[in-house]
Amino acid sequence: MDAETFRRFGHEVVDWVANYLQEVEHYPVLSPVSPGEVREQLPSSPPPVGETMEAILGDFQDIILPGITHWNHPRFFAYFPANNSGPSILAELLSAGLGVNAMLWQTSPAATELEELVMDWLRQMLNLPSSFRGVIQDTASTATLCALLCARERLSGFQINAHGFSAWSEQGPLRVYASREAHSSVEKGLKIAGFGAGNLVLVSVDENYGMDPQDLEKRIQEDREQGFNPCCVTATVGTTSSTALDPLRPIGEIAQRHGVWFHVDAALAGSAAILPEKRWILDGIELADSLVFNPHKWLFTNFDCSAFFCRHPEVLTATFSILPEYLKTDIDRQVTNFRDWGIQLGRRFRALKLWFVLRYYGVEGLQEMLREHLALAQEFKEWIEESRDFELLAPVPLNTICFRFQPGMRSGQDLPSEELERLNKALLDEVNRSGRIYMTHTRLGDNFCLRLSIGQTQTRREHVVQAWESLQGSQTVQSMH
Ligand SMILES: *Cc1c(COP(=O)(O)O)cnc(C)c1O
């Protein structure tokens, strides 16, 4: 593609994105296509000869776009947000233009040095001790896997890296502890890192769905007595179901007492800790060995960008470093080579978008946007509390509300739980099919819950009001009156 053609279509594409972000509200949030519908419209074999950009962009518009669920939509309330922003998109474009691979310092010194810098800026924003060193990973799942691998290697004296689990087998299995509400990436990490999913010990939670430290201590002790090797505790700050908060300080003290690695998964909630009034959610973080949070969830940096901090970079690099001849450089001793800080060798230049976002909004600008989401969540929570048809199913410390339609409240007669589940599934399906809003569900204890998570860049009060109106005005709710 020559420069002139690139320029022409580049302008067209930038215009397209600008219009899209301006008009995204008019699309159905959840893509209405049926399984196979996108694929059926596309040829089953690759084009033997090149096609025009007009044809490619035309199919993007006509075939791909209808199959898109609009994460940038201001009425996207599903899962957790993966929010986005102009400065982030522009930096991604520049990063794609540069096309560099940030595997070594030498393969783009600016990419490595900027990554060190922005991770230190984030460290300051979260008020983490200066002993935490940061690296950008693709996702929280990868960061948690890295933490598990570090825990495994520190405990085995790097013997499992060297000789495999069989060399360690006489010592008894390694155990990992996380609450019942922890994210599935912990279990996945145990599988991949060779611990075995059966060595994940699920710790009880309290009535607010945070980890019960007493139960943690009891389980570690029992495991010790039975010849298991306690290796790692993962605490969650902001669980995926309900943003429940595990108490870091008591968990960290137990971890220290038993010499186990303490990893903190704050994938969503870490962003909130840049607010002085919410920093308490990380109280005790100085006891952690590692921490992950996702700027790609709730810090206006488009997917993917996950911030991983580790207090023992020497353990991290001892776990991951490799040095074949062809990767050696003369300045290896003076610089950081991020290939040794994680799983991948090749690495995208993700620091650029984080740098653009942090500079464009500034810390205060980011704080203001998060405060607005938090205030909207409190307001929605109050509507639920005041409603005669809906009930709250968990506390709302952050941006996510767990609740359900409970038509029995009017008559003072609770419906049986199977009936409630059927009704709430019908309600969720109805509002999502309308294309006006998109929400997802979870289960807390035995309860099927609807879940509304507020965090998209363009979400304003009117959109949250519209979500509440969609629920109240639904057939499912109206037919019970
Ligand atoms: C979203 C989430 C994850 C997984 O994040 P990815 O970056 O998609 O891997 C892990 N833990 C928690 C608590 C999450 O909310």
Side-chain angles (χ1 to χ4, degrees):
M1 184 178 276
D2 61 45
E4 274 320 303
T5 313
F6 180 83
R7 191 183 318 282
R8 188 174 133 222
F9 289 103
H11 287 161
E12 198 172 300
V13 166
V14 168
D15 280 342
W16 189 93
V17 174
N19 290 334
Y20 170 73
L21 291 176
Q22 206 168 24
E23 292 160 8
V24 62
E25 189 167 347
H26 305 300
Y27 290 92
V29 195
L30 181 61
S31 167
V33 300
S34 352
E37 202 177 317
V38 174
R39 183 90 189 253
E40 265 164 25
Q41 299 174 69
L42 297 165
S44 53
S45 39
V49 293
E51 300 183 58
T52 63
M53 276 309 292
E54 284 85 353
I56 301 169
L57 289 171
D59 285 349
F60 168 78
Q61 184 75 38
D62 299 340
I63 303 173
I64 304 301
L65 199 58
I68 292 296
T69 289
H70 298 280
W71 284 72
N72 283 293
H73 198 296
R75 288 188 301 270
F76 182 102
F77 300 111
Y79 307 101
F80 276 150
N83 66 22
N84 200 352
S85 64
S88 178
I89 298 167
L90 293 174
E92 275 285 56
L93 180 58
L94 290 174
S95 171
L98 293 172
V100 302
N101 183 331
M103 58 187 191
L104 313 180
W105 178 87
Q106 196 176 65
T107 60
S108 269
T112 294
E113 294 188 15
L114 194 64
E115 184 162 339
E116 291 182 295
L117 178 80
V118 290
M119 289 304 288
D120 197 61
W121 284 4
L122 282 185
R123 180 191 68 71
Q124 295 172 47
M125 288 163 68
L126 295 180
N127 198 8
L128 303 176
S130 56
S131 52
F132 281 78
R133 297 277 305 277
V135 53
I136 301 178
Q137 305 276 6
D138 52 5
T139 59
S141 303
T142 301
T144 293
L145 174 60
C146 289
L148 288 167
L149 291 165
C150 287
R152 186 190 85 181
E153 288 313 302
R154 189 175 70 169
L155 188 75
S156 76
F158 300 89
Q159 289 307 299
I160 296 176
N161 253 359
H163 307 293
F165 265 97
S166 55
W168 178 259
S169 62
E170 284 160 28
Q171 318 264 350
L174 302 178
R175 301 282 256 191
V176 176
Y177 307 82
S179 94
R180 295 182 174 282
E181 294 292 320
H183 190 263
S184 55
S185 55
V186 180
E187 183 181 346
K188 202 188 227 180
L190 263 88
K191 291 189 195 180
I192 302 170
F195 290 84
N199 286 311
L200 176 60
V201 180
L202 292 179
V203 180
S204 311
V205 292
D206 62 20
E207 70 283 6
N208 294 329
Y209 304 102
M211 186 192 282
D212 171 7
Q214 277 183 343
D215 191 52
L216 170 67
E217 177 124 61
K218 190 176 124 227
R219 284 168 186 273
I220 292 177
Q221 257 152 7
E222 282 171 3
D223 272 357
R224 275 255 147 77
E225 285 155 22
Q226 292 175 17
F228 292 110
N229 287 287
C231 177
C232 179
V233 178
T234 295
T236 314
V237 174
T239 60
T240 314
S241 279
S242 70
T243 67
L245 305 162
D246 290 352
L248 300 189
R249 188 170 299 284
I251 295 170
E253 284 164 2
I254 293 165
Q256 267 192 346
R257 209 154 47 240
H258 292 274
V260 307
W261 188 279
F262 180 27
H263 175 60
V264 175
D265 174 3
L268 170 92
S271 297
I274 72 166
L275 300 171
E277 69 273 24
K278 287 286 177 197
R279 175 56 176 73
W280 60 267
I281 65 177
L282 290 183
D283 182 43
I285 192 69
E286 66 278 9
L287 301 173
D289 296 294
S290 54
L291 161 73
V292 61
F293 95 99
N294 284 346
H296 73 226
K297 271 186 171 155
W298 201 19
L299 210 62
F300 313 96
T301 307
N302 64 292
F303 191 81
D304 51 1
C305 182
S306 186
F308 181 55
F309 290 94
C310 184
R311 207 150 51 83
H312 316 285
E314 72 291 352
V315 176
L316 192 65
T317 53
T319 300
F320 291 108
S321 97
I322 36 139
L323 200 55
E325 193 53 38
Y326 51 80
L327 290 179
K328 287 181 186 160
T329 61
D330 292 339
I331 26 103
D332 281 346
R333 281 173 194 286
Q334 297 165 44
V335 297
T336 300
N337 289 318
F338 277 125
R339 74 158 182 234
D340 291 335
W341 290 57
I343 293 165
Q344 309 164 274
L345 171 61
R347 310 177 68 255
R348 284 170 17 81
F349 185 7
R350 298 188 184 89
L352 194 66
K353 58 186 172 183
L354 202 45
W355 188 55
F356 272 42
V357 168
L358 298 179
R359 291 189 60 182
Y360 185 81
Y361 293 105
V363 177
E364 289 170 16
L366 295 168
Q367 289 172 332
E368 206 172 295
M369 295 193 285
L370 295 181
R371 281 193 183 111
E372 188 175 340
H373 292 153
L374 291 168
L376 290 172
Q378 285 309 308
E379 202 171 355
F380 190 90
K381 180 195 102 167
E382 284 158 21
W383 298 337
I384 299 282
E385 282 173 337
E386 288 159 13
S387 155
R388 294 176 61 201
D389 291 319
F390 289 86
E391 66 182 348
L392 208 59
L393 292 172
V396 184
L398 296 168
N399 71 333
T400 303
I401 305 102
C402 291
F403 63 101
R404 69 179 167 191
F405 176 42
Q406 171 56 287
M409 282 162 62
R410 281 178 187 250
S411 57
Q413 265 183 334
D414 280 2
L415 295 185
S417 66
E418 311 83 72
E419 179 61 9
L420 278 177
E421 181 161 338
R422 193 192 61 74
L423 270 175
N424 278 278
K425 278 183 174 158
L427 174 56
L428 184 65
D429 187 50
E430 185 189 340
V431 295
N432 285 345
R433 253 186 308 116
S434 78
R436 264 175 79 72
I437 66 173
Y438 181 27
M439 293 171 45
T440 46
H441 74 280
T442 190
R443 211 174 277 279
L444 287 170
D446 294 331
N447 293 330
F448 181 89
C449 316
L450 304 178
R451 208 177 148 280
L452 186 104
S453 187
I454 301 171
Q456 285 307 336
T457 311
Q458 299 194 46
T459 301
R460 299 288 172 271
R461 186 171 184 277
E462 70 202 71
H463 305 110
V464 181
V465 170
Q466 286 158 0
W468 183 223
E469 286 170 355
S470 290
L471 288 162
Q472 286 180 306
S474 66
Q475 287 250 310
T476 313
V477 170
Q478 289 302 315
S479 67
M480 294 298 287
H481 284 168

